[in-house]
């Protein structure tokens, strides 16, 4: 599920514009995609690929735990089960990666050309996602699944419907990705007019994202799934889990990271100070582990 643009794409200011037919052939070429998977370009950020693989694995384990929870609890004990049962948080990692990759791509284009080719960007996104997604949707409906609300999937707004009314309810994350692709380039164009305050505004928007989630959690008395009744889980999904205003924080974390990497030289500073970098990483992982252990 590679929704984000490959960060190793050539400089948009120098590469020729391939035809639509050439784009389609490249997108659906098994040989080309296999080569890109097994032999990525030297300029690729391999840690991002590794993080994506770990996140996918975590989500897969989570769904396995959901299907056979009792067996896994008995075999591995309570603490490992709780870690595996938090695999839905792997989706948050997907959002961070998507925000990082898309923002880095657009920031590089801005740096190289001084402008954004919005038409080209939206066309790339459409060719990359829509054909495969619409094919799956057609097969889903042809197989006899309820598709009364498939119109919402076609428009990528299915995550605004109640969970039990959605067609292919598991595709909610793609809806959020598409909503981000639609809105963020326009936001970035506006932020270009305030270059000195761009990072501050993004950090402020991230703080607003945390406040929105906190207000919803308090208002509805929500908690993480695992011990709640089915009605509580449905409420959690419909109010907190699948809505863009409660999920944009992860995407924004990726955007801020891309801005720090591209314009503040964070990676170079980290390479020059490996001891401090590793210490900060250890502290961050410790905080995450402590919070995870306390979550009920």
């Amino acid at each position: 599920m590679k929704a984000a643009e490959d960060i190793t794409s050539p400089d948009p200011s120098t590469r020729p514009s391939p035809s639509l037919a050439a784009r389609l052939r490249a997108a659906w070429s098994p040989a080309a995609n296999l080569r890109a998977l097994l032999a990525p370009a030297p300029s690729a950020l391999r840690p991002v690929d590794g993080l994506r693989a770990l996140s996918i694995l975590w989500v897969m384990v989570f769904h396995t735990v959901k299907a056979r929870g009792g067996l896994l609890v008995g075999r591995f004990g309570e603490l490992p089960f709780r870690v595996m049962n938090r695999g839905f948080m792997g989706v948050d990692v997907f959002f961070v990666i998507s925000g990082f990759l898309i923002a880095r791509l657009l920031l590089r284009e801005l740096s190289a050309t001084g402008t954004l080719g919005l038409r080209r960007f939206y066309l790339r996104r459409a060719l990359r996602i829509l054909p495969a997604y619409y094919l799956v949707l057609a097969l889903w409906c042809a197989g006899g699944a309820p598709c009364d609300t498939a119109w919402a999937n076609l428009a990528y707004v299915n995550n605004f419907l109640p969970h039990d009314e959605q067609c292919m309810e598991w595709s909610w994350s793609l809806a959020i990705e598409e909503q981000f692709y639609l809105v963020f380039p326009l936001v970035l164009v506006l932020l270009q007019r305030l270059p000195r305050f761009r990072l501050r505004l993004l950090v402020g928007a991230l703080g607003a994202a945390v406040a929105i989630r906190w207000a919803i959690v308090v208002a509805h008395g929500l908690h993480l799934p695992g011990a709640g009744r089915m009605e509580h889980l449905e409420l959690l999904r419909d109010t907190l889990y699948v809505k863009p205003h409660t999920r944009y924080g992860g995407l924004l974390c990726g955007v801020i990271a891309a801005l720090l990497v591209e314009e503040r030289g964070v990676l170079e500073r980290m390479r020059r100070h490996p001891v401090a970098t590793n210490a900060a990483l250890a502290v961050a992982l410790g905080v995450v582990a402590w919070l995870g252990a306390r979550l009920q």
Side-chain angles (χ1 to χ4, degrees):
M1 191 177 81
K2 187 178 179 182
E5 184 75 18
D6 188 349
I7 59 176
T8 62
S9 300
D11 187 337
S13 65
T14 59
R15 65 186 178 197
S17 298
S19 65
L20 178 61
R23 290 176 180 270
L24 289 173
R25 284 196 302 271
W28 292 90
S29 168
N33 284 285
L34 183 61
R35 285 195 300 270
L37 179 65
L38 298 179
S43 58
L45 289 180
R46 301 303 296 272
V48 173
D49 294 333
L51 187 60
R52 179 160 40 199
L54 290 174
S55 303
I56 292 172
L57 180 62
W58 198 11
V59 172
M60 292 173 62
V61 169
F62 167 65
H63 286 287
T64 303
V65 169
K66 283 182 61 179
R68 306 185 65 181
L71 175 62
L72 289 173
V73 170
R75 182 173 299 178
F76 299 113
E78 180 182 356
L79 181 58
F81 172 76
R82 288 175 61 187
V83 173
M84 291 183 288
N85 200 36
R86 298 293 182 259
F88 61 87
M89 299 171 94
V91 180
D92 295 277
V93 181
F94 292 153
F95 288 152
V96 174
I97 292 174
S98 291
F100 176 79
L101 295 178
I102 291 300
R104 193 167 190 245
L105 179 75
L106 293 175
L107 288 170
R108 285 186 166 187
E109 183 174 349
L110 273 174
S111 176
T113 66
T115 186
L116 287 180
L118 295 180
R119 180 180 178 183
R120 182 175 62 248
F121 173 81
Y122 290 132
L123 178 62
R124 281 203 305 260
R125 301 266 58 81
L127 291 176
R128 197 172 187 88
I129 298 174
L130 298 189
Y133 180 71
Y134 287 164
L135 175 62
V136 171
L137 180 62
L139 294 174
W140 180 267
C141 294
C147 287
D148 295 340
T149 59
W151 60 268
N153 296 73
L154 293 174
Y156 280 100
V157 294
N158 49 300
N159 57 326
F160 286 102
L161 299 177
H163 181 263
D164 57 359
E165 296 180 15
Q166 292 184 34
C167 172
M168 294 199 321
E169 68 277 2
W170 39 266
S171 64
W172 64 269
S173 61
L174 287 176
I176 289 182
E177 295 268 5
E178 285 296 299
Q179 291 153 15
F180 169 69
Y181 298 153
L182 179 64
V183 172
F184 175 68
L186 303 177
V187 172
L188 187 59
V189 170
L190 294 176
L191 289 177
Q192 278 299 103
R193 301 181 180 182
L194 300 168
R196 293 179 56 189
F197 302 99
R198 184 167 52 181
L199 182 58
R200 299 176 191 177
L201 290 171
L202 290 174
V203 172
L206 181 58
V210 175
I212 290 170
R213 289 177 63 89
W214 177 83
I216 292 174
V217 167
V218 171
H220 295 281
L222 300 175
H223 55 78
L224 287 176
R229 298 187 305 274
M230 183 57 65
E231 310 89 78
H232 175 271
L233 298 181
E234 293 293 336
L235 178 64
L236 186 146
R237 291 191 191 101
D238 289 337
T239 59
L240 190 71
Y241 195 64
V242 302
K243 296 298 188 288
H245 57 277
T246 62
R247 282 293 193 165
Y248 81 87
L251 292 157
L252 201 53
C253 286
V255 171
I256 293 172
L259 188 63
L260 292 175
V261 167
E262 288 299 306
E263 298 188 358
R264 302 297 178 94
V266 169
L267 287 182
E268 288 71 18
R269 296 180 188 178
M270 293 172 66
R271 294 189 182 103
R272 289 198 300 267
H273 305 283
V275 175
T277 298
N278 291 330
L281 178 60
V283 171
L285 291 176
V287 171
V288 170
W290 178 79
L291 290 173
R294 293 184 60 85
L295 290 176
Q296 299 296 329

